[in-house]
Amino acid sequence: MKRDPGDGNGRGDGERVAAGRERAIKLVRVAPPAAERLHPWVERMRGVRALVWGDFVLDEYWRCLTRRVSREAPVLVLDWQSRSAQGGGAANAALNLASLGARVSVVGWIGADEAGAELRRLLERSGVDTAGLLEHARASTVVKIRIVAGSVHTALQQVVRVDRGAAFPLDARDRGALVRALESAGRDAQAVLLSDYGYDSVTPALAEDGVRSWRARGVTVALDARYRLASYRGVTLATPNESEAAAAAGIEAGDERDLARVAARLMRVVRPQHLIVTRGRDGLTLWERESGASLEAHGGEEAVDVTGAGDAVVATASLALAAGAPALDAAALANVAGSVAVSRRGAVAVSADELREALGAGSARKPARVERGGGGERGAAPTASDSAARARRAKLRPRARRAPAGGGAA
């Protein structure tokens, strides 16, 4: 396997794709598949063998109360109350897969430290096989500390985040250990999820041979890459959010016409079989070679916390595809899982039971089929009536539910 040199910050060559002429891709707004059509896939996802290869992060939450302003400087004095920890990055993706019923193995790096041991325990408590979670002798576990605070009568909100850890330096011995772990964990995998947060446990160069081999065997290979999306090639599914997709394509996405150009460029260069672009309150879009389908956000509530939503989306979509679901059904299930993920504070895995409940309780909007513009200058921008309808929906949405006082923040 080849080493991607990067730049020390998780960004390798090919962070953006080269500009080129793309064919127009038509985006059509569609109604989601009926709940009774989606429910069987939730059961069929159970028992699918999945491998997560990526950057494993320990998310810490320090809960504090705000009582006064410091006399030393115009800053709040926080009274520490408690600490908790959750799996972040690739760990959250693995926990989502396990919570949905998959049989999960993981491969990646942690440090030989207490944070790494705690992260391993979190995964093992959910039934994840951590034999491939390797301890690095020269680097520490990546830890992200979120300090959340508020008064005794208000929900806690994030005040500051402190990140600890850097990209893992890999020599020939480290790469050999990684290859052996992948061969063991991926031998019978039906789905492989690449979770690249820029810490070099997985890189485009390291993944190249594996992606080619897995795809040749019919394995579903899903990609969630924060910075290096444009450097990967030939995966089954890529799931960037709108800003990540636009940055990778080098195109500012101001409207759906721009988004179609972004998708066309990524489809041409990255060559995924399916591309899902998540769009927050605007739902998500599923792109394939010749067309795109737009699904409105599931349900009507405002997001409480977007932390971990992308992991829920990629885990659900990849598991559904591996179970044999059509791409639109997989995208619709991922859309529902994302809505559940943003309804809680912190990166909390979405369970199969929660997914079933949300399928039964969520609103199934059925908008008229509206064609949107394709790549280049073809196609019309959203009309005034579309904008007005969106504004009316925004007014009708209930306000964000108040989170429990112990909740974390993004």
Side-chain angles (χ1 to χ4, degrees), residues 13-360:
D13 292 335
E15 181 177 335
R16 293 185 175 187
V17 303
R21 296 187 64 182
E22 283 76 43
R23 294 179 57 191
I25 298 183
K26 188 177 295 183
L27 178 60
V28 179
R29 189 171 299 170
V30 300
E36 55 268 24
R37 172 172 151 180
L38 298 178
H39 272 292
W41 294 117
V42 181
E43 183 57 35
R44 292 174 193 172
M45 292 190 293
R46 185 175 299 278
V48 171
R49 296 181 298 277
L51 164 64
V52 179
W53 174 18
D55 296 316
F56 289 81
V57 178
L58 184 69
D59 284 346
E60 288 190 22
Y61 291 86
W62 294 6
R63 294 172 177 82
C64 306
L65 291 179
T66 55
R67 299 188 187 276
R68 57 194 174 92
V69 176
S70 172
R71 292 182 295 178
E72 302 166 355
V75 296
L76 293 173
V77 175
L78 305 180
D79 292 340
W80 187 88
Q81 298 292 304
S82 64
R83 172 198 176 275
S84 65
Q86 298 171 351
N92 187 45
L95 291 170
N96 271 277
L97 288 167
S99 192
L100 290 167
R103 295 163 53 191
V104 186
S105 300
V106 295
V107 171
W109 293 100
I110 55 174
D113 48 32
E114 177 52 36
E118 184 173 17
L119 188 52
R120 189 186 298 274
R121 290 193 297 269
L122 284 170
L123 291 165
E124 290 176 345
R125 280 203 296 267
S126 293
V128 175
D129 181 353
T130 63
L133 199 57
L134 308 174
E135 292 187 358
H136 201 290
R138 306 181 307 281
S140 61
T141 303
V142 178
V143 179
K144 297 183 179 181
I145 302 171
R146 294 171 172 86
I147 300 176
V148 294
S151 75
V152 293
H153 301 297
T154 63
L156 304 187
Q157 299 183 44
Q158 185 173 165
V159 176
V160 67
R161 193 178 95 180
V162 181
D163 290 2
R164 185 174 77 232
F168 288 92
L170 303 185
D171 58 21
R173 179 179 297 181
D174 297 327
R175 288 193 289 274
L178 189 67
V179 169
R180 290 190 294 274
L182 286 166
E183 289 174 346
S184 176
R187 187 173 295 117
D188 62 351
Q190 296 166 275
V192 175
L193 198 163
L194 309 178
S195 183
D196 183 353
Y197 280 75
Y199 292 99
D200 286 4
S201 285
V202 60
T203 70
L206 287 172
E208 182 180 344
D209 293 340
V211 170
R212 186 183 302 112
S213 175
W214 286 317
R215 290 298 309 279
R217 287 166 38 200
V219 175
T220 297
V221 181
L223 170 65
D224 184 17
R226 179 66 56 86
Y227 305 113
R228 296 182 284 213
L229 168 65
S231 294
Y232 286 87
R233 297 290 183 271
V235 296
T236 311
L237 169 71
T239 62
N241 62 37
E242 191 169 9
S243 61
E244 290 166 348
I251 298 172
E252 185 175 348
D255 56 26
E256 288 185 339
R257 182 175 57 189
D258 293 335
L259 185 61
R261 294 174 56 222
V262 167
R265 188 165 294 179
L266 293 179
M267 291 295 291
R268 174 177 63 85
V269 175
V270 181
R271 300 191 302 276
Q273 187 175 347
H274 313 289
L275 173 67
I276 291 177
V277 179
T278 57
R279 307 184 65 205
R281 68 173 61 194
D282 290 326
L284 58 77
T285 54
L286 167 67
W287 303 88
E288 297 178 285
R289 187 177 301 275
E290 301 294 338
S291 63
S294 176
L295 292 170
E296 288 195 344
H298 181 82
E301 294 193 352
E302 296 287 349
V304 171
D305 185 353
V306 299
T307 305
D311 298 319
V313 166
V314 69
T316 305
S318 59
L319 207 53
L321 288 173
L328 182 61
D329 291 14
L333 284 165
N335 196 28
V336 176
S339 74
V340 175
V342 301
S343 70
R344 296 93 57 92
R345 290 197 178 273
V348 183
V350 177
S351 71
D353 287 342
E354 288 173 321
L355 191 54
R356 292 190 192 94
E357 182 180 354
L359 278 171

Side-chain angles (χ1 to χ4, degrees), residues 364-378:
R365 300 180 179 131
K366 295 183 179 179
R369 294 171 65 88
V370 179
E371 294 187 358
R372 294 293 178 219
E377 294 303 313
R378 304 180 192 178

